[in-house]
Amino acid sequence: MRYLMTTAANGSAPDEKLFAEMGKFIEELTASGVLLATGGLDPDSILVSSSGEEITVTDGPFAEAKEAVAGFALVEVRSREEAVELARPFRRIVGDGESRLQQVFTS
């Protein structure tokens, strides 16, 4: 099972301690084979919407900074519960805020 974990910006700038702890966490997940991809996201997004034959392109940002998705991790785990357990140490490292887990369905 693959899960995409996204996290919203918490409004504070990361410090060296956070970078060190997160680097160690990412190394552990990579070595275990669980982490497939990770990265930060630019808050300026592009919205592409359709209605019938009309395609509209709108430049962002669209959410308040505290609501914008700041980063993601794609993990491969055996269960929903395992995905939640991976999110717990991540949230402890980054502090207050929210992360969202969504199962990724592949063909």
Side-chain angles (χ1 to χ4, degrees):
M1 301 174 84
R2 290 184 177 180
Y3 278 85
L4 181 67
M5 180 173 65
T6 55
T7 187
N10 67 5
S12 62
D15 60 17
E16 290 303 316
K17 181 182 176 192
L18 183 139
F19 282 124
E21 289 182 41
M22 189 58 66
K24 183 179 176 190
F25 183 60
I26 288 171
E27 284 179 20
E28 291 170 4
L29 292 181
T30 301
S32 72
V34 170
L35 184 64
L36 303 177
T38 186
L41 299 172
D42 186 342
D44 290 336
S45 58
I46 302 165
L47 176 65
V48 180
S49 58
S50 60
S51 178
E53 294 294 317
E54 185 177 341
I55 305 293
T56 304
V57 178
T58 309
D59 291 331
F62 300 102
E64 291 185 36
K66 66 180 180 179
E67 298 170 341
V69 175
F72 73 93
L74 180 62
V75 297
E76 188 157 22
V77 294
R78 292 180 295 274
S79 67
R80 176 184 185 274
E81 292 76 18
E82 188 177 349
V84 170
E85 288 309 310
L86 287 176
R88 290 180 191 279
F90 174 82
R91 291 300 334 159
R92 284 188 194 106
I93 292 169
V94 298
D96 295 344
E98 295 181 345
S99 293
R100 180 170 293 187
L101 294 168
Q102 292 176 276
Q103 187 172 357
V104 176
F105 299 108
T106 57
S107 54

